[in-house]
Amino acid sequence: MKNIILISEIHDSSRKLKVAPESVSYIDAEMRDKLLQLDKICCIVKNGDSIGVSLSEDGNESSSGSSMSLLAQTLPLKTTQLGDPEFIKFHGLKMAYMSGSMANGIASENLVISSGKVGLLSSFGAAGLLPSIIEQAINNIQKALPDGPYAFNLIHSPSEDAIEKAAVDLYLKYRVRTVEASAFLGLTPNIVRYRVAGLLRNSQNQVEIKNRVIAKISRAEVASKFMAPAPEDILNKLLEEKSITREQAQLAAMVPMADDITVEADSGGHTDNRPLVSLLPAIIALREQYQEKYGYLHSIRVGAAGGIGTPASALAAFMMGAAYIVTGSVNQACVEAAASQHSKELLAQADMADVTMAPAADMFEMGVELQVLKRGTLFPMRAKKLYALYKNYESIEEIPLLERKKLEEQVFRNSLEEIWSQTKKHFYERDPHQIERALNHPKRKMALIFRWYLGLTSHWSNTGEIGRETDYQIWAGPAIGAFNNWVKGSYLEDVSQRKTVEVAWHIMTGAAYLYRLRHLQTQGIRLPFSYEAYMPKPFLEIPS
Ligand SMILES: Cc1cc2nc3c(=O)[nH]c(=O)nc-3n(C[C@H](O)[C@H](O)[C@H](O)COP(=O)(O)O)c2cc1C
């Protein structure tokens, strides 16, 4: 047995507590069990030379029992107390926790619905999907969760405005009331239209916001756009085309573009790889400036994403002032995610360093990269090779024959002529403009051919394309490695047991538990290191 140690006399040494001696635990397992009862006051008491843990139901000293020194105590802390209660209330949730969008429907209907059923917010991965598929998802999710909570991703498409617009058309048509807006570099008429078309004046003459926006950002310049009211030039344009009313345009001056700003640090998928500890406080400070400037009735909340996959990382975010946390990488390995079993198993084996940056399909020519898994797949290496060739040569024809042969045999498994005709077919259906731009431009043509590989590899990872396992493009950040290390030896080590909701509950419960340890530490109590481990246990049912 390891001992609880009093490391400093911060406490009032004269404070006494009367407790029934049999209610004090001195054995590790029992003491941990008491600390885990998050709804009770937990007291560290000294009886002679022994230090133990006792629960106090109401915090008052009992009139009977033995008098012991009260060294420290920690108050009840439920998972619902972490983060900003306004976030919980505004979105109608049980906890200040959200699972973020994952493109191509990886954040599936099933994932969103199972979360929503227990009061957790998940965002459907609408990016990359055709409008008809998004429409179907809206219908199914709304049917299962008529009162929410759920969100849909509104992703900025720099080269495909029609796609962004089509998503907004659907969200307005079906009254999707929460979007997770992401990848925006600035505001577009589409996101402004979504926001402002949902404004109305209520009976107390206040602005009522029907269309909630959770904007995910990784830079202060973009955050500031969402923290300000909608810009006048875009409002005028929308007024002209009668997409909003004059009253809505006036109301828009009184509210920010977003209700919530998610600060995304080093995450899976698109990321600037910034550390959360540096970025989050800066954006919280920025929020204060905007609140002071505009005096909004309801202050914007700032949440944290990127790298969160364990109780400790969740607690760190909350302690830095995050109003809520958002996870992503850990959810892709969960049973509800629409990723293949093979990809989930690779994710479950990943360590923290098993991720790397690789060229992104959507912004390949610009040299934009995203974070992917590198263990068990050759995708990052092959994608980087394609980008190097793109940088070095002006056309497919310029690539040395030997190099080209290698590409055709190993990467494309087809002649590049055949790949070009498949690429043309794809873009003629989706965005013919891309082909027109490439016809007299050999470098653009080369980019489109290479994007064939970059686009399909993520699709293969989701559908589980047999024979292409070594090419799977699996978006993931270091959070998955941290998660795997944490759950080693627990039921969640087994990928078939990972349910999004249970993962969320354990991260939040573990964070509340760890908070108690830190709180006791500030009172001079050092618990044995083994106490730091919060091990997830299967739920009989999800606690309410
Ligand atoms: C597989 C995968 C796909 C993602 N796709 C999207 C997306 O389409 N839109 C989006 O806003 N964020 C996307 N993200 C980011 C997540 O919503 C979330 O913000 C991020 O994963 C949190 O960081 P973490 O990966 O460190 O947990 C994706 C993340 C992953 C892992």
Side-chain angles (χ1 to χ4, degrees):
M1 189 180 106
K2 298 183 184 99
N3 290 329
I4 297 179
I5 303 167
L6 182 62
I7 48 174
S8 69
E9 298 276 345
I10 300 168
H11 67 289
D12 173 1
S13 55
S14 65
R15 217 171 143 202
K16 300 280 181 205
L17 188 70
K18 276 198 173 158
V19 272
E22 65 277 10
S23 73
V24 181
S25 304
Y26 301 98
I27 298 167
D28 270 347
E30 287 177 14
M31 290 195 286
R32 285 169 60 106
D33 186 55
K34 288 203 157 92
L35 283 161
L36 262 169
Q37 296 186 40
L38 299 172
D39 55 344
K40 310 236 168 75
I41 296 174
C42 213
C43 301
I44 310 293
V45 292
K46 191 165 181 212
N47 189 13
D49 284 339
S50 308
I51 297 179
V53 178
S54 152
L55 291 177
S56 159
E57 298 288 336
D58 58 9
N60 296 324
E61 291 181 22
S62 75
S63 49
S64 59
S66 310
S67 181
M68 299 182 192
S69 293
L70 175 62
L71 300 181
Q73 67 176 1
T74 181
L75 295 176
L77 182 75
K78 297 187 191 156
T79 50
T80 48
Q81 288 171 267
L82 294 169
D84 188 340
E86 284 297 317
F87 180 83
I88 295 176
K89 196 168 139 213
F90 187 77
H91 294 285
L93 308 177
K94 283 269 164 59
M95 300 191 299
Y97 182 101
M98 174 178 179
S99 70
S101 312
M102 290 186 283
N104 299 332
I106 297 177
S108 64
E109 290 174 21
N110 193 5
L111 188 152
V112 175
I113 293 168
S114 59
S115 300
K117 287 229 154 112
V118 294
L120 283 181
L121 182 62
S122 289
S123 183
F124 180 75
L129 296 180
L130 290 170
S132 58
I133 307 283
I134 302 177
E135 186 168 21
Q136 200 181 338
I138 296 174
N139 290 331
N140 291 340
I141 290 171
Q142 288 186 333
K143 197 164 158 215
L145 301 169
D147 303 317
Y150 61 84
F152 273 75
N153 192 198
L154 176 60
I155 193 147
H156 175 51
S157 308
S159 55
E160 291 177 300
D161 181 67
I163 291 200
E164 193 180 310
K165 185 175 174 301
V168 169
D169 287 343
L170 285 173
Y171 298 158
L172 290 176
K173 177 175 172 194
Y174 289 103
R175 302 207 165 102
V176 168
R177 294 309 194 188
T178 310
V179 300
E180 184 185 34
S182 54
F184 283 86
L185 305 168
L187 296 175
T188 63
N190 299 318
I191 176 72
V192 176
R193 177 170 151 242
Y194 173 78
R195 177 67 164 175
V196 178
L199 298 178
L200 52 97
R201 200 183 290 278
N202 68 16
S203 50
Q204 285 101 54
N205 213 23
Q206 288 169 343
V207 194
E208 201 170 309
I209 296 168
K210 289 282 188 203
N211 293 343
R212 298 179 281 246
V213 173
I214 302 173
K216 195 153 62 187
I217 58 91
S218 47
R219 292 176 187 191
E221 314 88 85
V222 182
S224 58
K225 303 252 168 40
F226 281 96
M227 288 180 179
E232 243 175 68
D233 55 337
I234 298 186
L235 289 174
N236 289 337
K237 181 178 179 297
L238 295 174
L239 262 176
E240 254 170 50
E241 61 184 46
K242 297 196 171 35
S243 301
I244 56 168
T245 66
R246 196 154 289 283
E247 181 171 56
Q248 284 170 336
Q250 283 159 3
L251 295 176
M254 297 156 72
V255 293
M257 269 302 296
D259 307 292
D260 300 286
I261 302 279
T262 305
V263 174
E264 180 145 272
D266 192 14
S267 69
H270 285 285
T271 176
D272 273 349
N273 309 100
R274 309 265 152 121
L276 191 64
V277 284
S278 313
L279 193 57
L280 182 64
I283 304 294
I284 291 176
L286 188 69
R287 184 268 315 274
E288 286 313 304
Q289 288 172 21
Y290 274 80
Q291 181 58 30
E292 205 154 288
K293 181 168 175 193
Y294 291 101
Y296 298 127
L297 189 61
H298 302 287
S299 182
I300 302 163
R301 294 166 294 262
V302 179
I308 301 175
T310 59
S313 52
L315 179 62
F318 286 124
M319 289 296 100
M320 280 192 293
Y324 59 98
I325 56 167
V326 179
T327 56
S329 292
V330 296
N331 303 319
Q332 190 179 194
C334 288
V335 290
E336 303 87 352
S340 65
Q341 194 56 28
H342 185 81
S343 293
K344 288 179 188 177
E345 272 155 22
L346 287 183
L347 284 166
Q349 289 158 22
D351 211 333
M352 233 175 304
D354 289 334
V355 289
T356 186
M357 298 301 286
D362 49 355
M363 289 182 259
F364 177 75
E365 293 93 321
M366 291 147 80
V368 173
E369 292 191 318
L370 37 66
Q371 193 148 227
V372 295
L373 190 69
K374 70 173 176 199
R375 183 172 171 173
T377 162
L378 298 173
F379 167 78
M381 200 184 76
R382 290 181 167 168
K384 280 179 195 170
K385 176 76 190 169
L386 291 180
Y387 187 67
L389 292 172
Y390 173 76
K391 286 301 279 177
N392 287 340
Y393 300 105
E394 291 307 307
S395 68
I396 289 286
E397 291 68 32
E398 262 190 27
I399 300 173
L401 224 56
L402 211 66
E403 198 77 78
R404 178 173 172 160
K405 203 159 171 280
K406 240 181 5 194
L407 280 189
E408 293 185 323
E409 278 173 14
Q410 292 171 6
V411 179
F412 291 94
R413 298 195 193 165
N414 215 329
S415 72
L416 292 186
E417 283 85 18
E418 172 54 26
I419 300 297
W420 176 231
S421 61
Q422 288 180 23
T423 307
K424 278 196 290 194
K425 188 168 177 293
H426 169 82
F427 278 107
Y428 273 133
E429 281 163 14
R430 200 183 156 98
D431 188 4
H433 181 60
Q434 300 270 1
I435 299 296
E436 286 154 27
R437 287 180 68 233
L439 281 180
N440 293 316
H441 201 304
K443 195 157 176 118
R444 279 198 198 125
K445 177 178 161 186
M446 175 166 52
L448 288 187
I449 290 175
F450 290 175
R451 279 170 58 186
W452 176 96
Y453 178 77
L454 293 158
L456 273 179
T457 42
S458 54
H459 176 71
W460 293 334
S461 159
N462 295 344
T463 56
E465 181 81 7
I466 307 280
R468 274 293 191 173
E469 290 82 353
T470 50
D471 290 289
Y472 284 6
Q473 177 183 171
I474 307 168
W475 301 313
I480 187 67
F483 177 88
N484 291 335
N485 285 336
W486 162 45
V487 300
K488 210 162 266 165
S490 82
Y491 82 108
L492 288 180
E493 186 173 355
D494 175 0
V495 76
S496 70
Q497 297 293 316
R498 294 185 185 182
K499 296 201 179 114
T500 317
V501 164
E502 298 194 19
V503 165
W505 242 271
H506 283 305
I507 288 177
M508 293 293 277
T509 305
Y513 167 75
L514 288 183
Y515 175 84
R516 302 194 110 182
L517 303 195
R518 300 285 83 79
H519 186 215
L520 291 172
Q521 193 178 4
T522 62
Q523 297 168 70
I525 300 295
R526 180 184 294 156
L527 293 152
F529 182 71
S530 59
Y531 281 51
E532 295 288 327
Y534 164 81
M535 283 299 261
K537 293 206 180 100
F539 288 126
L540 294 177
E541 61 180 300
I542 293 296
S544 56

